[in-house]
Amino acid sequence: MPFALYMLALAVFVMGTSEFMLAGLLPAIATDLDVTVGTAGLLTSAFAIGMVIGAPLMAAFARRWPPRAALLVCLLLFAACHVIAAVTPVFSLLLAARVLSALANAGFLAVALATATTLVPEDQKGRALAILLSGTTIATVAGVPAGALLGAAAGWRATFWAIALLCVPAAIGILRGVADRRSRADASAGSPSLRAELGQLRSHRLLLAMILGALVNGGTFAAFTFLAPVVTDTAGLTEAWISVVLVMFGVGSFLGVTLAGRLSDNSPGLVLAVGGPLLLSGWIALALVASVPALLVVLVLFQGMMSFGVGSTLIAQVLYAASDAPTMGGSYATAALNIGAAAGPVLGALGLATGAGELAPVWVAAGLTALTLIVMLLSKTQLQAVPAKTLG
């Protein structure tokens, strides 16, 4: 695989660390800024909403820019937002900084997804996506737990400073590894018009893949965002165990996206048919046995693998279905991911507000996954209509 692809994954690692690190910092942020944990959880939703809005907006704005220039502008804006977040004493300003950083993240990811698929042969989009998303999964393995430990030792603001500093080597990697020119296909044939690319959203195949991806990711974020209270309150473990559990989720997600990346180009139907029911079963089991620490840790590992394996396969299908939208297809995949990431924490917070306890978000995850399976079953004919090389 091209070296430039790994440079993009490095930047995605930095951004993924920022996106996921709040799972271990919410209690500290809530206490410092005098808001409830549920309200602090809206920082995750605000970030995801910014990603949903920013993905198509930023992709459309920068679609004629050279890839390297667009990626660097987005990354530097992202770093600046984290400096603001690190110094503000006001929750509303922190919320605004998260939204703006999400816009930058969305633009970066949309361009990165589109760029990654031009670096590999047509039938290897799933593998390219797996490498790109490995930056996110490695973030959950190393970046997020490190952020939680740094936050515990030096305060949650230190983690935002760390993210801003990590953007520097990522920017250098992009500057050296990504060509400052448009793809060969764009240069020789020209990209379709923006109207034509937006018209792809009328495709049933594309919409179905986006809906399924959003549902699975919504379940993942509903549970993951509020995992810290489950570790400390339900399982009765100390705060130090939050990092351990996050590492286990990250290890599972890395395994899931890696294995799915090798199957999603040729046999995605197998991944969805087997992984979907296992994902639902895992959320139910986690809700039932979370009070047992050993089982909690094992199931978090398993759910990380299943959620990212199934989720990344569905996002690969978005890219295949949006193949006629070369500059906007990445934004559709980004929007699908983050519609779920926005809705999941909100639904999880609503579950907590009902007084159902710390496990309410896990039950929300189970419900969204069950809905995913129902939609997949009802849409089986449409899924089978996708070319063999796409759905296997």
Side-chain angles (χ1 to χ4, degrees):
M1 288 290 171
F3 175 75
L5 190 57
Y6 295 97
M7 292 299 96
L8 294 175
L10 171 63
V12 171
F13 163 77
V14 176
M15 293 182 170
T17 299
S18 172
E19 183 172 6
F20 284 106
M21 70 182 182
L22 289 183
L25 300 176
L26 288 181
I29 293 175
T31 299
D32 188 28
L33 300 183
D34 194 25
V35 297
T36 66
V37 173
T39 299
L42 295 179
L43 290 169
T44 301
S45 294
F47 193 91
I49 290 171
M51 291 281 284
V52 172
I53 297 173
L57 182 65
M58 296 292 285
F61 178 73
R63 66 193 301 266
R64 300 298 182 186
W65 290 12
R68 186 170 69 187
L71 292 168
L72 285 174
V73 167
C74 290
L75 185 58
L76 293 177
L77 176 59
F78 184 82
C81 289
H82 280 73
V83 172
I84 294 173
V87 299
T88 181
V90 181
F91 179 77
S92 59
L93 186 55
L94 175 60
L95 192 66
R98 290 298 285 176
V99 173
L100 186 57
S101 65
L103 291 174
N105 191 348
F108 181 93
L109 189 56
V111 176
L113 284 167
T115 301
T117 59
T118 67
L119 298 175
V120 298
E122 178 67 21
D123 61 350
Q124 293 185 14
K125 288 183 179 180
R127 291 190 63 186
L129 177 64
I131 291 174
L132 196 65
L133 291 183
S134 70
T136 299
T137 60
I138 294 173
T140 63
V141 175
V144 174
L149 290 174
L150 179 61
W156 64 269
R157 296 178 187 277
T159 61
F160 283 85
W161 281 114
I163 292 297
L165 291 175
L166 284 173
C167 288
V168 175
I172 294 173
I174 291 171
L175 186 63
R176 294 183 175 182
V178 177
D180 197 16
R181 56 182 173 81
R182 294 167 60 196
S183 70
R184 291 188 300 272
D186 287 347
S188 61
S191 299
S193 68
L194 179 59
R195 180 186 294 273
E197 294 201 44
L198 292 175
Q200 292 299 309
L201 290 172
R202 293 193 295 268
S203 166
H204 291 168
R205 263 202 289 143
L206 176 57
L207 290 176
L208 175 60
M210 291 177 68
I211 290 171
L212 293 174
L215 287 171
V216 168
N217 209 43
T220 300
F221 270 79
F224 184 83
T225 300
F226 299 103
L227 195 55
V230 174
V231 173
T232 56
D233 297 340
T234 304
L237 297 171
T238 63
E239 289 188 3
W241 277 92
I242 295 175
S243 296
V244 175
V245 173
L246 292 177
V247 166
M248 296 305 291
F249 185 88
V251 170
S253 63
F254 178 77
L255 292 174
V257 78
T258 300
L259 293 174
R262 298 183 178 278
L263 295 173
S264 61
D265 288 315
N266 299 311
S267 303
L270 177 64
V271 177
L272 300 179
V274 175
L278 287 177
L279 179 60
L280 173 59
S281 300
W283 288 132
I284 295 173
L286 181 60
L288 294 176
V289 303
S291 60
V292 182
L295 293 178
L296 171 65
V297 173
V298 171
L299 282 170
V300 165
L301 170 69
F302 181 78
Q303 288 306 94
M305 183 168 62
M306 289 296 101
S307 60
F308 272 77
V310 173
S312 65
T313 298
L314 289 169
I315 295 306
Q317 298 315 301
V318 174
L319 292 176
Y320 274 116
S323 59
D324 291 332
T327 66
M328 295 297 293
S331 71
Y332 302 156
T334 303
L337 280 170
N338 288 283
I339 287 172
V346 171
L347 294 174
L350 289 175
L352 289 173
T354 65
E358 294 82 9
L359 290 171
V362 180
W363 285 112
V364 169
L368 291 174
T369 306
L371 182 58
T372 302
L373 296 180
I374 293 172
V375 174
M376 287 175 59
L377 182 62
L378 294 177
S379 306
K380 185 177 180 180
T381 301
Q382 293 185 40
L383 288 175
Q384 290 177 338
V386 181
K389 77 172 184 177
T390 301
L391 277 178

